[in-house]
Amino acid sequence: MRTKKLIPLLTLTLVAFMAMGSLASAESKIILTPKVDAFALFIDTSPSMAQSYKATGASKIVAGLNALKQLNGVIPNLGYQSALYTMPNFTTYSPKTTYNKSTIAKGLSSISTDLPFFQSTPIGSGFTDLDKALSTWKGKMAVIFVSDGLSNSGRNPAAIVSQLSKKYGDRLCLHTISVADTPEGSAVMKKLASLTPCGIFVEASSLSNKAVLDKFAQDVFYTQEEELIVEIIPVPVVAPMQEKIVFRNLNFGFDKYQITEEMEPSLVEGAAILESYPNLKVMIGGHTDSTGPEKYNQGLSMRRAESVANWMAKNGIPKDRIVVTGYGEMNPKYDNNTKEGRKLNRRVEIDVQE
């Protein structure tokens, strides 16, 4: 009895050998893609930041600067623009320019840790000043704000950040690194991070943990994907045709079903292989993760499968060779309780049978 072999697709890259006698050698590399076009480090240098941070023996400003120095050490250079500012007296320590680790490190080292004793802390006004700088920026922006969350004058900082969130929409992500030593200060820092669609809150002390530091950097600055590079080497035909063509998973973004430019080179390769075997029937199945209503996911999975089927039909694979099925969320291959598992479950798979 003939058996069907599931053809998972990740970037639709060929990873096995074809029955005609081709050998495939493969290696993988990690591809980093920036999440933002520019970012600003924004540091509170008000009097309360001179106080001791928890039981570390260091002041809050020292702890905050150390956290940023650690972060600067793991930010990959992906062509971002970057800047370094302080408040409450809005000061530019590094103007917006192409990100350079040495430039940011020099700016961080030049910020004084000898803070004034008599000065108000208007965090809201600080963000108003920051907005004047951000208003000229293009694309997606991240602001990493270091503070203890204590504000004793001016407008409520949450109100100002809410206005910024409405102004910039999903272009702005406000992330907070907290050196708070009071429940009130910590609550303010968490609140500020929650006011933009993608904000992240973290304790400065937690960034001394390498795993936490790396995760924060990835969540803020970049996405990471594994790309499989395959070389097909023709060899003489010495055996009957084998009924398997193995691809990697083709994964879609959350609630997405459109074919992206990044998928097309591998889809072209896949279509060319299928054209070489005109007797193979192509069965395309779409899948989703478990997020959202089951009925909606069923339709979404069909749309994903149809996107791949339509692409194949437009690129040389006759429609009468293609069967499309949507499985919704019913056939997960990975753990839907994890972010990575949900991502891998948002897939299209191809089944081929002679």
Side-chain angles (χ1 to χ4, degrees):
M1 181 179 68
R2 296 181 184 272
T3 60
K4 296 186 296 181
K5 178 65 179 180
L6 190 65
I7 302 178
L9 287 139
L10 179 60
T11 55
L12 203 69
T13 306
L14 185 64
V15 297
F17 61 88
M18 299 296 301
M20 64 182 285
S22 295
L23 295 177
S25 62
E27 60 181 15
S28 63
K29 65 178 180 179
I30 300 299
I31 303 298
L32 304 184
T33 304
K35 286 185 175 180
V36 295
D37 300 291
F39 69 89
L41 304 180
F42 191 38
I43 306 164
D44 181 0
T45 59
S46 58
S48 64
M49 293 288 286
Q51 298 171 0
S52 178
Y53 176 52
K54 296 185 176 179
T56 62
S59 64
K60 297 174 187 176
I61 185 63
V62 168
L65 290 173
N66 285 342
L68 289 180
K69 290 174 183 178
Q70 290 174 314
L71 181 62
N72 186 46
V74 298
I75 299 174
N77 197 336
L78 299 177
Y80 316 105
Q81 297 285 294
S82 65
L84 173 59
Y85 307 117
T86 62
M87 57 135 309
N89 293 327
F90 191 81
T91 304
T92 300
Y93 281 85
S94 176
K96 181 170 174 282
T97 188
T98 302
Y99 170 65
N100 179 280
K101 287 185 187 294
S102 297
T103 301
I104 292 297
K106 182 178 179 181
L108 291 170
S109 296
S110 65
I111 296 174
S112 175
T113 58
D114 185 13
L115 304 180
F117 288 101
F118 301 103
Q119 187 180 41
S120 61
T121 308
I123 291 180
S125 298
F127 277 99
T128 298
D129 293 333
L130 178 66
D131 181 35
K132 297 173 184 177
L134 298 183
S135 63
T136 63
W137 292 20
K138 306 296 183 182
K140 293 187 70 67
M141 307 175 290
V143 174
I144 298 90
F145 179 50
V146 177
S147 175
D148 60 3
L150 299 181
S151 181
N152 58 18
S153 68
R155 293 187 59 188
N156 185 335
I160 303 298
V161 172
S162 293
Q163 291 177 356
L164 296 183
S165 183
K166 290 178 182 178
K167 177 179 179 178
Y168 296 108
D170 61 4
R171 289 181 54 217
L172 175 65
C173 299
L174 172 61
H175 310 291
T176 58
I177 298 178
S178 174
V179 288
D181 59 353
T182 66
E184 294 79 13
S186 182
V188 167
M189 296 297 282
K190 289 178 182 178
K191 177 69 173 178
L192 294 180
S194 72
L195 293 174
T196 59
C198 39
I200 299 169
F201 166 89
V202 67
E203 291 278 358
S205 57
S206 298
L207 296 180
S208 60
N209 182 307
K210 186 63 164 57
V212 175
L213 179 67
D214 289 342
K215 184 178 186 306
F216 182 73
Q218 181 172 343
D219 289 344
V220 172
F221 295 104
Y222 64 93
T223 59
Q224 178 174 298
E225 300 286 349
E226 182 178 10
E227 181 180 90
L228 202 69
I229 304 171
V230 181
E231 180 182 7
I232 308 300
I233 307 171
V235 298
V237 178
V238 295
M241 176 177 173
Q242 301 177 37
E243 296 179 31
K244 67 176 179 180
I245 307 170
V246 180
F247 299 89
R248 299 274 294 195
N249 290 337
L250 176 63
N251 297 100
F252 290 79
F254 178 73
D255 201 26
K256 303 294 184 184
Y257 60 89
Q258 297 87 352
I259 299 298
T260 64
E261 291 184 2
E262 289 78 9
M263 300 174 186
E264 290 190 353
S266 296
L267 286 167
V268 169
E269 182 182 7
I273 293 168
L274 294 174
E275 283 182 340
S276 300
Y277 296 91
N279 294 326
L280 291 179
K281 295 293 183 181
V282 181
M283 288 161 282
I284 300 176
H287 302 262
T288 72
D289 61 27
S290 60
T291 306
E294 183 177 333
K295 183 177 180 180
Y296 179 83
N297 286 338
Q298 176 65 33
L300 178 60
S301 68
M302 278 296 296
R303 292 191 290 275
R304 288 173 176 166
E306 288 168 352
S307 290
V308 174
N310 291 338
W311 193 98
M312 288 290 182
K314 291 178 181 178
N315 289 272
I317 308 302
K319 286 187 176 181
D320 59 8
R321 292 180 59 190
I322 302 173
V323 177
V324 177
T325 303
Y327 295 97
E329 61 188 66
M330 303 309 294
N331 294 322
K333 293 178 67 175
Y334 305 92
D335 186 358
N336 274 314
N337 292 317
T338 68
K339 180 179 178 180
E340 184 65 18
R342 291 191 296 273
K343 173 184 173 182
L344 294 175
N345 282 330
R346 298 192 292 266
R347 68 194 192 277
V348 165
E349 295 178 337
I350 293 182
D351 216 12
V352 190
Q353 192 177 35
E354 187 179 3

